[in-house]
Structure formats: structure tokens, C-alpha cells
């Protein structure tokens, strides 16, 4: 009976010492907590970066959309003689702004860009073609065809 009791006590001791070690479990839990805190900090930084990226892309998209819209409302721009509806001398409050820039400036810039595109896209018109006779025109077409065949 004493041997059974000794074995029982040893099994309990061995179980507490090697299987269910309190200090090893405490050390493991501490390591898990430290790793989870580190992971949480990394996730917070990643989330902030992702939010900043999404905000930046949303702002870029909004600016592109605004530029597309503003390019079609050049008629609202003021001139030297007449102020626009956005820079009226009768307005008591500050002028309307979009992206921290007055709307009148947006209209002016859009008109400039539009004018540059129009000038760049216009092909110089050859007025001599207007005054050529039909025979001259047909002769030139035949010469073009002959050049193509030679090449």
C-alpha cells in the first residue's frame, strides 16, 4: 500500500513538474501576449497607411472628376468687364472654394487648358486647296496613287 501511495505522489509531482508546468505555461502566455501586442501595433500602422492611401486616391479621383466637370462650364467664368457669378462684388461672404482654391481660379485654369488643347489639336488649314480647280485636284490624287505604287 505504501508503494502505491509513493507512486501516486510521484505521478502527481511528475505531472506538475513536466506536463503541466506552471512556470513554463506562465512564460508561454507572456510570450503570446507580447506577440499579440506587437501584431496589434503593426495592424494599427497598416490600417492607418491603408486609410491614408484610400483618402489620397479618393481625393485624386474627386479632383479628376471636378476637372472634367469644370472644363465644361467655361461660360461661368468672369471677364475683365463682367465678374463671374462666383466672384460677384455683391457677395458679402468669402468666395466659393474647392480644394482650398477659389472657384474662379479653377474656371480660369480650365479655360487655359482647354484653349491650349484646342490650339494644339487644330491643323493649319491650307487655303490653296479651296481655290484649286477640280482638274488640279484629280491630277494630284493620281500622282499620289502613282507614288504609292512605286514604293
Amino acid at each position: 500500500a505504501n508503494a502505491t501511495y509513493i507512486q501516486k505522489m510521484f505521478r502527481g509531482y511528475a505531472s506538475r513538474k513536466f506536463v503541466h508546468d506552471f512556470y513554463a505555461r506562465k512564460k508561454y502566455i507572456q510570450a503570446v501576449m507580447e506577440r499579440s501586442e506587437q501584431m496589434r501595433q503593426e495592424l494599427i500602422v497598416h490600417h492607418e497607411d491603408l486609410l491614408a492611401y484610400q483618402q489620397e486616391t479618393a481625393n485624386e479621383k474627386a479632383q479628376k472628376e471636378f476637372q472634367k466637370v469644370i472644363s465644361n462650364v467655361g461660360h461661368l467664368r468672369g471677364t475683365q468687364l463682367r465678374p463671374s457669378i462666383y466672384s460677384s462684388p455683391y457677395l458679402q461672404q468669402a468666395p466659393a472654394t474647392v480644394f482650398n482654391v477659389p472657384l474662379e481660379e479653377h474656371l480660369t485654369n480650365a479655360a487655359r487648358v482647354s484653349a491650349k488643347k484646342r490650339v494644339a489639336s487644330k491643323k493649319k488649314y491650307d487655303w490653296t486647296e479651296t481655290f484649286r480647280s477640280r482638274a488640279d485636284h484629280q491630277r494630284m490624287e493620281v500622282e499620289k496613287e502613282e507614288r504609292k505604287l512605286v514604293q
Side-chain angles (χ1 to χ4, degrees):
N2 283 340
T4 307
Y5 180 72
I6 291 172
Q7 287 176 348
K8 178 179 159 185
M9 295 303 280
F10 181 76
R11 280 194 299 268
Y13 166 78
S15 174
R16 286 187 298 275
K17 179 76 174 167
F18 300 110
V19 178
H20 300 291
D21 187 4
F22 172 77
Y23 297 104
R25 187 170 183 86
K26 186 176 180 181
K27 185 178 176 182
Y28 169 76
I29 291 173
Q30 185 64 30
V32 167
M33 288 180 65
E34 287 173 3
R35 178 67 184 137
S36 67
E37 182 64 27
Q38 180 184 2
M39 180 65 75
R40 191 173 69 79
Q41 294 297 328
E42 290 173 7
L43 286 174
I44 287 172
V45 169
H46 177 69
H47 180 69
E48 290 172 353
D49 291 344
L50 189 61
L51 286 177
Y53 174 74
Q54 288 175 345
Q55 177 106 18
E56 184 177 321
T57 55
N59 284 344
E60 288 176 4
K61 184 179 178 183
Q63 285 180 354
K64 285 181 183 177
E65 183 68 27
F66 179 74
Q67 289 301 325
K68 184 191 281 187
V69 170
I70 203 78
S71 66
N72 295 326
V73 291
H75 59 281
L76 299 177
R77 189 170 62 103
T79 63
Q80 288 180 350
L81 297 177
R82 298 210 181 248
S84 76
I85 60 171
Y86 299 109
S87 64
S88 173
Y90 303 110
L91 285 176
Q92 297 299 320
Q93 68 268 19
T97 61
V98 178
F99 304 117
N100 296 325
V101 177
L103 198 52
E104 182 69 22
E105 282 186 41
H106 283 295
L107 290 168
T108 304
N109 292 339
R112 264 192 215 120
V113 169
S114 177
K116 285 180 182 177
K117 284 182 182 177
R118 272 194 312 258
V119 168
S121 69
K122 279 190 177 178
K123 186 177 129 182
K124 292 195 176 185
Y125 188 72
D126 187 9
W127 289 99
T128 59
E129 288 183 17
T130 308
F131 301 111
R132 286 190 185 138
S133 68
R134 177 167 260 215
D136 289 342
H137 186 67
Q138 287 175 350
R139 184 179 44 80
M140 290 174 62
E141 290 295 324
V142 170
E143 289 175 358
K144 282 184 188 177
E145 291 293 325
E146 288 175 356
R147 276 188 242 133
K148 286 183 184 176
L149 291 175
V150 171
Q151 292 177 356

